[in-house]
Amino acid sequence: MQTILQSKTKTVKIDPNGPFTIIGEKINPTGRKKLAAALQEGKFDYVRDLAAKQIAGGADMLDINVGVPGLDDVAVLPQVVKMVGEEFDIPICIDTSNPQALEAALKVAPGRVLVNSVNGEESSLSRILPLVKEYNAAVIGLVMDENGIPNDPEVRCAIAEKILERAARLGIPGDDVVIDPLVLTVGADSNAAAITLKTIELVRKNFGVNINLGASNVSFGLPDRDTLNVAFLGLAIHAGASCAITDPTKYTALIKGCDLLMGRDAYAAKYIKYYRTHPVEKV
Ligand code: THG
């Protein structure tokens, strides 16, 4: 199972057997007032800056989310996707729940994009999947539906199966559906990460498809988020995740380390190459 994404000239392959694919999370105005203001004013220099910094840090792809209350995402999402697609040579993950904004962005995105996301709700399946097919994209499937996000990993897995079946009916193969087992903060429910880790294992065993996580969700509302984010990424990678929407400016070294420790980096070549270009400062 390989999910193949493209930018102007580059190809990224998400593969269950690694190396792990890093999707930069920072073009997302949730909790970022400066970005929210810049998007509302149509000033994209700060977006450029966030794209450049994440690519320098080691991002393989960039997630683009312009979700600010009151902002016209049908107009702004395609503008930002077009700008990033033209000025940076890196595949894009379009992060919106609005099918109209998604279609407007798909029309102007270069290469082959990852649509973030569809879920098990009928309204989502029937509106998002046909767009994925029409624009020859790949898609992230969230394991939630009309009843919300189930606590039982088996029930999350059943929603993954439903999404995969509905995609297959439209001719979208399992290679092009990346399942997101969903992680919520352990600040609200201390079992949240354990449920997600179990779901990763089940989805991987039952379907063999690629698995994505919005990894930084795990630590919302808690102190020292970096420690939790790093620990969770390590556990999720070992459990079988193949990509994450995360912060490449902080966690790329950890991810390269996990690839090496899991026997996916011959002669430690990628780990050492990353270290040479991103030396660790001594205290
Ligand atoms: N699954 C999928 N897509 C997703 C999520 C998911 N997209 C959105 C989100 N969850 C993943 N992206 C982020 C982006 C930023 C943060 C968390 C998850 C974050 N931001 C800081 C905050 O809000 O405090 C602020 C920014 C910063 O300091 O860098 O934590 O689960 N498919």
Side-chain angles (χ1 to χ4, degrees):
M1 287 281 179
Q2 279 194 333
T3 310
I4 296 176
L5 294 319
Q6 273 158 340
S7 59
K8 276 186 294 190
T9 73
K10 286 191 185 137
T11 300
V12 166
K13 291 180 187 162
I14 307 176
D15 190 316
N17 298 316
F20 197 81
T21 300
I22 302 171
I23 307 173
E25 73 179 11
K26 293 178 98 64
I27 304 178
N28 182 335
T30 313
R32 301 181 73 99
K33 285 196 186 126
K34 189 176 164 189
L35 179 59
L39 289 170
Q40 243 150 357
E41 290 161 19
K43 292 184 183 156
F44 295 155
D45 277 353
Y46 186 46
V47 180
R48 281 187 186 89
D49 190 41
L50 289 172
K53 285 196 172 120
Q54 292 184 96
I55 292 167
D60 300 302
M61 297 180 56
L62 294 178
D63 187 75
I64 298 180
N65 179 315
V66 300
V68 180
L71 178 123
D72 179 4
D73 56 351
V74 181
V76 175
L77 186 62
Q79 286 170 14
V80 176
V81 164
K82 189 165 186 286
M83 183 280 283
V84 172
E86 283 173 359
E87 297 185 24
F88 301 91
D89 197 4
I90 185 166
I92 288 168
C93 177
I94 303 175
D95 191 348
T96 177
S97 53
N98 178 353
Q100 281 173 300
L102 172 62
E103 180 156 27
L106 284 167
K107 285 196 167 121
V108 297
R112 184 160 208 258
V113 304
L114 184 57
V115 169
N116 185 10
S117 53
V118 71
N119 63 56
E121 279 185 71
E122 196 49 48
S123 59
S124 174
L125 293 164
S126 64
R127 295 177 79 181
I128 303 291
L129 290 178
L131 291 174
V132 171
K133 178 68 185 165
E134 183 181 346
Y135 290 89
N136 182 33
V139 64
I140 295 177
L142 305 181
V143 294
M144 56 188 280
D145 63 13
E146 286 83 355
N147 302 315
I149 304 175
N151 277 327
D152 183 345
E154 301 274 358
V155 182
R156 288 195 191 186
C157 208
I159 300 174
E161 186 168 25
K162 179 180 178 188
I163 295 170
L164 287 162
E165 272 173 17
R166 291 291 292 268
R169 259 194 247 167
L170 291 181
I172 303 166
D175 294 88
D176 288 331
V177 183
V178 178
I179 293 297
D180 187 326
L182 288 173
V183 64
L184 302 172
T185 175
V186 288
D189 172 3
S190 56
N191 280 320
I195 292 167
T196 304
L197 293 169
K198 184 71 198 165
T199 310
I200 295 172
E201 286 169 18
L202 287 175
V203 168
R204 169 128 187 181
K205 181 163 72 94
N206 293 349
F207 313 119
V209 295
N210 278 312
I211 295 173
N212 172 70
L213 292 158
S216 309
N217 296 354
V218 79
S219 59
F220 271 130
L222 283 164
D224 186 17
R225 294 185 62 189
D226 283 344
T227 296
L228 287 170
N229 290 349
V230 163
F232 180 67
L233 274 168
L235 293 168
I237 293 170
H238 184 255
S242 32
C243 56
I245 302 169
T246 187
D247 184 347
T249 68
K250 286 183 177 166
Y251 307 134
T252 301
L254 168 275
I255 289 166
K256 303 280 177 208
C258 287
D259 279 331
L260 171 56
L261 295 172
M262 287 182 68
R264 302 161 161 186
D265 183 6
Y267 307 105
K270 289 180 177 162
Y271 182 81
I272 292 168
K273 184 177 174 204
Y274 185 77
Y275 173 76
R276 287 213 179 105
T277 48
H278 302 76
V280 177
E281 284 172 38
K282 283 193 183 149
V283 267

